[in-house]
């Protein structure tokens, strides 16, 4: 390969890494917005539940058998494994840490602390 080809290949790798990092940041931001919306929805449903009486509900099976999770960390701990390989096949770009389970939650927390600085 010529020198030009090497430069273009290196530029493509850098661009791919930048795009990957931007996508990860956007994903973490979306996760934060989702958590805020989930919190707001939970507050609204608890508020609405307080106004309705149980005697008005005629459905005897109107309850959930799934235990409720109050925080996103509890939800993250419940989904704590991934079948995605740690490094993409045939990729020349160094892989970043996979975010799932508690790692996703910790990454979100670290971006929140970096935003406040």
């Amino acid at each position: 390969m010529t020198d030009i080809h090497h430069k273009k290949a290196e530029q493509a790798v850098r661009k791919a890494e930048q795009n990957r990092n931007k996508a990860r940041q956007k994903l973490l931001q979306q996760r934060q917005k989702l958590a805020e919306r989930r919190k707001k929805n939970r507050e609204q449903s608890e508020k609405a539940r307080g106004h309705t009486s149980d005697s008005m509900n005629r459905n005897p099976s109107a309850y959930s058998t799934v235990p409720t999770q109050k925080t996103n960390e509890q939800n993250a701990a419940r989904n704590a494994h991934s079948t995605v390989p740690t490094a993409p096949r045939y990729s020349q770009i160094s892989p970043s840490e996979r975010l799932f389970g508690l790692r996703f939650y910790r990454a979100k927390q670290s971006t929140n602390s970096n935003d406040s600085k």
Side-chain angles (χ1 to χ4, degrees):
M1 287 182 133
T2 64
D3 193 38
I4 294 173
H5 287 87
H6 283 291
K7 286 181 181 179
K8 285 189 177 186
E10 289 174 6
Q11 184 181 14
V13 168
R14 273 184 297 199
K15 185 75 169 174
E17 287 176 342
Q18 288 174 354
N19 289 339
R20 178 196 62 197
N21 292 337
K22 284 180 187 178
R24 286 171 67 95
Q25 289 300 319
K26 287 180 182 180
L27 181 64
L28 292 171
Q29 289 172 356
Q30 288 175 343
R31 173 82 174 192
Q32 182 178 4
K33 288 178 184 178
L34 178 64
E36 291 169 2
R37 182 64 185 177
R38 189 178 294 134
K39 181 180 176 184
K40 183 178 176 182
N41 288 346
R42 189 176 298 122
E43 289 171 357
Q44 286 178 348
S45 73
E46 288 175 1
K47 184 178 176 183
R49 195 177 307 133
H51 292 294
T52 61
S53 65
D54 291 335
S55 61
M56 303 243 343
N57 189 355
R58 295 183 182 184
N59 185 355
S61 62
Y63 63 92
S64 176
T65 58
V66 178
T68 60
Q69 278 82 30
K70 293 291 182 182
T71 65
N72 287 327
E73 186 175 17
Q74 289 174 334
N75 289 335
R78 190 174 63 186
N79 305 320
H81 72 281
S82 174
T83 58
V84 177
T86 55
R89 187 180 290 179
Y90 310 119
S91 176
Q92 296 177 359
I93 300 172
S94 61
S96 58
E97 184 181 31
R98 298 291 185 193
L99 297 179
F100 62 90
L102 290 174
R103 278 192 254 165
F104 196 68
Y105 178 75
R106 288 186 197 115
K108 183 183 74 129
Q109 294 299 94
S110 67
T111 57
N112 287 348
S113 64
N114 290 341
D115 292 342
S116 62
K117 289 182 182 179

